[in-house]
Amino acid sequence: MNNQSVDVDLITRFDNEAKLHALNSVYAIAEFDLAGKLIEANPLFCKMLGYKKEDIIQKSHTLFLPEAQRQKHDHFWHDVIKGNINAGEFQRKTQKGDIIWLHAAYTPIIDHSGRRVGVIKLALDITQEKRLMSEHRAQLDAIENSQGVIEFDKDGYITHVNKHYLMLTGYEGKEILGLHHKSLCDPLYTEQADYQTFWETLHRGHPISGRFHQLGKDSHSFWIQATYSPVMDSDGNVRKIIKYAHNITQNVETEKKAHQQGIILDILLSVHDSFLLDHNLPSACDKVFERLLSVTNSTFGFIATLQEDENGQSLYLPAISNLAWDDETLNLSLIHISEPTRH
């Protein structure tokens, strides 16, 4: 053998040793014979499963399996020693009985003559990742089951809607998929610069939260408290937008009514103050009539007092409404109510 071939052999050996050292520092590695008995294990493998090496040498591979998986072991092992690499995520049991998750590959060991002489296993502990994924999935399921969820592509077209959001809109799933976000908004709003700014903000990857007025099927109006969350790809570009929402229509209507009642109270107090000045109730009512129509979103109406005497209940109209009244109508300023007042 010449010096050149010796140098190549040395380089190859050192290269292989370096590769094995690198694998040993990252992977839990175990070697089994064809019968499934452990014949070698590195420190990471022993640490991962909580055993001392001397306690598991010559032990069966089934020692590391959860009870429920042991009946299927023979089929699994025969598949591997036939020459098939079996890789994936596996549950394994530690010395303390805890269940851990491994990402592992079982690979047949073949000698120089092509015979299968054993199985080598390389594994990574992914238990923490699996737990985090499970918790994340549980959180998403909780949101999906309690809130309205709708997804848009980066251009604003609807790609997914859950049942809660469908109930808000009144649409069937097949009716709403493919519609643009603006289909759920007041047309006057979508024509404003604010709507353009809204999408520009999302395209920059910034979430948006707040109250939003929405329109469902047949222009059905509702209010939501919602968060629009952009989902980014690996390059930092917006891939889609997920919106989480819950219905606050009743709350908004209650707030509007309370606000309206406050305004009406202020108006009535001004009537009271005006009446105290000149003791002219019709004049006092006339001064606030248009304000009352405005705050109640009415086009016409009247102000009256309910009176009761021996003839029954009647409405007295001290202030005439914004309608045109002729002489005949004016004679009806006292209106007798034949039926009891209903609430």
Side-chain angles (χ1 to χ4, degrees):
M1 179 179 294
N2 59 36
N3 289 337
Q4 185 176 2
S5 68
V6 170
D7 290 343
V8 171
D9 288 342
L10 284 172
I11 291 171
T12 301
R13 182 160 60 85
F14 287 139
D15 185 51
N16 288 338
E17 287 178 359
K19 290 176 180 177
L20 287 172
H21 178 72
L23 289 173
N24 263 302
S25 65
V26 176
Y27 289 95
I29 302 175
E31 185 178 339
F32 300 87
D33 64 18
L34 293 177
K37 298 290 181 64
L38 182 71
I39 57 177
E40 187 57 68
N42 75 347
L44 282 180
F45 183 87
C46 297
K47 181 180 180 181
M48 185 173 65
L49 291 166
Y51 288 99
K52 293 180 180 179
K53 182 177 177 178
E54 58 268 26
D55 293 335
I56 54 176
I57 294 297
Q58 292 300 312
K59 298 294 184 181
S60 171
H61 178 258
T62 56
L63 173 68
F64 312 112
L65 300 185
E67 196 69 38
Q69 295 183 17
R70 292 184 179 179
Q71 354 181 348
K72 299 179 181 179
H73 177 263
D74 288 347
H75 176 75
F76 168 84
W77 199 257
H78 289 155
D79 189 51
V80 174
I81 63 177
K82 279 193 304 184
N84 298 316
I85 297 175
N86 203 321
E89 296 179 354
F90 303 94
Q91 281 186 325
R92 293 295 179 257
K93 186 177 70 172
T94 69
Q95 189 269 340
K96 292 181 178 179
D98 298 327
I99 300 300
I100 62 174
W101 280 92
L102 306 181
H103 190 282
Y106 291 80
T107 306
I109 302 172
I110 300 174
D111 65 14
H112 294 295
S113 61
R115 294 181 306 163
R116 290 183 285 275
V117 295
V119 174
I120 189 168
K121 171 184 178 179
L122 277 72
L124 291 171
D125 187 349
I126 59 168
T127 306
Q128 187 63 20
E129 290 87 341
K130 292 290 285 187
R131 285 175 180 164
L132 288 174
M133 286 178 61
S134 178
E135 290 173 6
H136 183 59
R137 182 69 260 171
Q139 290 169 355
L140 290 178
D141 287 343
I143 292 172
E144 185 81 17
N145 292 328
S146 62
Q147 294 193 34
V149 181
I150 183 168
E151 296 184 13
F152 307 89
D153 66 17
K154 61 184 180 63
D155 297 317
Y157 291 95
I158 299 169
T159 58
H160 167 76
V161 192
N162 76 345
K163 62 180 182 181
H164 296 292
Y165 207 93
L166 287 175
M167 290 175 63
L168 282 175
T169 64
Y171 283 107
E172 298 289 337
K174 60 184 178 181
E175 295 177 309
I176 197 171
L177 291 177
L179 294 181
H180 194 272
H181 174 265
K182 65 175 57 177
S183 301
L184 302 175
C185 302
D186 189 324
L188 293 177
Y189 168 60
T190 60
E191 293 172 2
Q192 296 176 10
D194 285 350
Y195 186 68
Q196 182 67 28
T197 302
F198 169 84
W199 278 103
E200 289 173 354
T201 302
L202 291 175
H203 287 153
R204 288 196 299 270
H206 301 309
I208 297 176
S209 298
R211 285 183 171 190
F212 301 93
H213 179 231
Q214 302 275 267
L215 297 179
K217 188 175 182 180
D218 300 324
S219 297
H220 160 64
S221 175
F222 60 96
W223 283 85
I224 54 173
Q225 181 73 36
T227 297
Y228 291 79
S229 299
V231 177
M232 319 297 281
D233 62 20
S234 57
D235 296 322
N237 299 314
V238 174
R239 183 167 60 88
K240 64 179 180 179
I241 293 102
I242 304 178
K243 171 181 171 182
Y244 302 101
H246 60 271
N247 188 4
I248 59 167
T249 305
Q250 186 173 355
N251 293 352
V252 171
E253 290 177 349
T254 300
E255 289 173 7
K256 285 182 177 179
K257 286 179 182 177
H259 179 67
Q260 185 185 62
Q261 288 169 354
I263 295 174
I264 292 174
L265 179 60
D266 289 340
I267 293 173
L268 293 178
L269 288 174
S270 70
V271 172
H272 177 264
D273 292 342
S274 177
F275 176 73
L276 289 178
L277 287 174
D278 57 17
H279 299 283
N280 188 332
L281 184 58
S283 173
C285 291
D286 283 337
K287 290 177 182 177
V288 298
F289 193 76
E290 292 301 326
R291 290 171 59 195
L292 279 174
L293 291 177
S294 175
V295 76
T296 57
N297 294 318
S298 302
T299 54
F300 63 90
F302 60 85
I303 301 173
T305 58
L306 182 64
Q307 298 179 341
E308 187 169 1
D309 55 26
E310 65 276 5
N311 296 318
Q313 292 179 324
S314 62
L315 285 176
Y316 173 64
L317 308 181
I320 302 304
S321 78
N322 58 330
L323 295 179
W325 294 76
D326 54 23
D327 291 340
E328 183 179 353
T329 307
L330 291 175
N331 292 329
L332 298 178
S333 58
L334 278 177
I335 306 173
H336 291 275
I337 302 175
S338 57
E339 297 276 342
T341 304
R342 298 182 186 273
H343 297 279

